[in-house]
Amino acid sequence: MSSLSRELVFLILQFLEEEKFKESVHKLEQESGFFFSIKYFEEKALAGEWDEVERYLSGFTKVDDNRYSMKIFFEIRKQKYLEALDRHDRAKAVEILVKDLKVFSTFNEELYKEITQLLALDNFRENEQLSKYGDTKSARSIMLIELKKLIEANPLFREKLVFPTLRASRLRTLINQSLNWQHQLCKNQRPNPDIKTLFTDHTCSPPNGARGSPVSVPLAAVPKATPAYTQLGAHGPFPPPAAAANANALAGWMANATASSSVQSAVVTASSIPVPSSQGPNFNSYILLCFYVETAKNSSKCTKYDRLSECRFRATNETSEARRASC
């Protein structure tokens, strides 16, 4: 994942936190593996929510990743086991021993045997090494002190324990900047535009919903527009798709605009046709008629009437009465 995509995840995390989507925040932290919240981890461990503790931890490391990770998982599962024994819940203790602690027997078989022998004691505090074990709350706090040291020393958690410094509502700020930029591209800019969606690019509607009158002219007569903006990808600074890399930036931007404000390549207004200032008032009409006549000439059914119409129209733009009479 690129560095910009990684930073986008942090922006989303900040947004979710500001909007109080607590569960979503920690789910994204765990799924992305970009930020490990010691505060959340500590909160769940102190509450004895062991399944959630391991689920969250699994987004960052596994039991056999390194010796630090192995020790972290062992301390958590050992605490679960001792709490079950302290409640005299032998069935649960055996389940934890078989399902959770058995994996460590391949690394330290003697330790696993010693833990198993605790089942035979009425009170596991009779074991010399566990004689100072207090109540559940204090035992969890002591365990957390050890876990924090292991997490900080674990190279897999490097650069994942500190959230980047961001200004408040950074994602909202970027969206506002994007909307301001989109508004600068509007052909019918309105003050204080009412933006109701982020699903499509913003464009101001024409006044009173009016549209320009389309004029049918050959597309070859329309000059190609020069790009006025730097090429941007679908997400601004993110790399654009290969197919879009050579596309005109403005055309690409307008492609997703609403129908009432989009510029279609097949519809061209008369104002986009360059008209020499030296021509008379009938010049635009002259272009349209000439187009009609030239079309007729190229057809197999060209008639005398078509050529006569052309001749008469040309004569109307000349001052010679003789020329007009010749038609």
Side-chain angles (χ1 to χ4, degrees):
M1 182 177 288
S2 68
S3 60
L4 289 180
S5 296
R6 186 173 183 273
E7 290 180 2
L8 179 58
V9 172
F10 282 110
L11 295 180
I12 295 173
L13 285 173
Q14 183 196 46
F15 172 79
L16 292 174
E17 182 71 32
E18 291 174 343
E19 296 298 316
K20 310 300 181 185
F21 294 112
K22 298 296 185 181
E23 292 184 10
S24 300
V25 168
H26 302 304
K27 182 65 176 177
L28 181 55
E29 290 171 350
Q30 181 257 324
E31 287 189 333
S32 67
F34 290 160
F35 174 69
F36 184 85
S37 174
I38 285 287
K39 180 180 179 181
Y40 178 72
F41 180 76
E42 180 179 354
E43 175 186 318
K44 294 302 177 182
L46 290 176
E49 298 181 26
W50 305 117
D51 289 343
E52 175 60 17
V53 167
E54 287 208 27
R55 185 197 66 79
Y56 186 71
L57 191 61
S58 67
F60 303 87
T61 186
K62 301 294 185 290
V63 175
D64 56 354
D65 280 343
N66 55 47
R67 61 190 181 91
Y68 298 103
S69 298
M70 185 176 296
K71 180 67 171 174
I72 291 170
F73 278 98
F74 175 76
E75 290 297 327
I76 292 171
R77 295 175 182 182
K78 183 184 75 173
Q79 182 63 30
K80 287 170 57 179
Y81 177 66
L82 294 178
E83 289 184 15
L85 289 176
D86 208 21
R87 295 192 307 268
H88 302 288
D89 188 346
R90 301 283 175 157
K92 184 65 176 177
V94 171
E95 179 184 338
I96 296 171
L97 186 67
V98 174
K99 290 184 178 181
D100 296 335
L101 291 170
K102 180 70 174 178
V103 65
F104 300 104
S105 63
T106 57
F107 304 101
N108 193 330
E109 188 174 356
E110 290 299 320
L111 178 61
Y112 182 75
K113 288 180 179 180
E114 185 177 347
I115 291 175
T116 302
Q117 292 170 1
L118 296 178
L119 288 169
L121 302 176
D122 292 333
N123 187 339
F124 62 82
R125 292 174 181 81
E126 296 175 12
N127 182 290
E128 183 178 354
Q129 296 183 12
L130 298 172
S131 60
K132 295 183 180 180
Y133 185 95
D135 58 13
T136 298
K137 184 178 179 180
S138 60
R140 289 175 180 174
S141 297
I142 294 172
M143 175 200 66
L144 271 173
I145 294 174
E146 180 67 17
L147 291 182
K148 287 180 181 179
K149 292 178 181 178
L150 291 169
I151 290 172
E152 290 173 359
N154 194 329
L156 295 177
F157 290 84
R158 192 167 299 151
E159 299 181 357
K160 296 181 179 181
L161 300 178
V162 179
F163 198 86
T165 302
L166 303 173
R167 291 187 178 182
S169 304
R170 178 59 181 163
L171 184 59
R172 289 182 180 274
T173 300
L174 292 176
I175 291 174
N176 286 336
Q177 291 173 353
S178 174
L179 292 174
N180 286 332
W181 181 72
Q182 292 174 28
H183 185 58
Q184 293 300 314
L185 298 181
C186 290
K187 286 193 171 184
N188 305 287
Q189 286 191 21
R190 293 184 176 183
N192 302 318
D194 184 17
I195 300 175
K196 297 181 179 180
T197 181
L198 296 176
F199 292 164
T200 57
D201 291 342
H202 161 70
T203 55
C204 293
S205 301
N208 300 323
R211 296 189 184 187
S213 300
V215 178
S216 298
V217 298
L219 292 180
V222 183
K224 295 183 179 180
T226 302
Y229 298 92
T230 303
Q231 173 68 26
L232 293 177
H235 300 289
F238 294 94
N246 296 323
N248 179 278
L250 185 56
W253 175 263
M254 297 303 294
N256 295 325
T258 57
S260 62
S261 60
S262 63
V263 179
Q264 301 181 21
S265 61
V267 178
V268 184
T269 60
S271 61
S272 65
I273 305 173
V275 180
S277 59
S278 60
Q279 300 297 334
N282 294 323
F283 188 73
N284 285 336
S285 299
Y286 174 76
I287 290 177
L288 297 178
L289 184 56
C290 283
F291 173 66
Y292 164 75
V293 173
E294 289 299 323
T295 303
K297 282 183 178 180
N298 293 330
S299 70
S300 60
K301 296 181 180 180
C302 179
T303 64
K304 180 179 180 180
Y305 173 78
D306 296 327
R307 293 190 295 273
L308 183 60
S309 298
E310 177 187 10
C311 181
R312 285 180 177 174
F313 183 82
R314 291 179 185 274
T316 59
N317 289 276
E318 298 183 15
T319 58
S320 171
E321 291 295 334
R323 173 62 179 150
R324 195 172 302 153
S326 66
C327 293

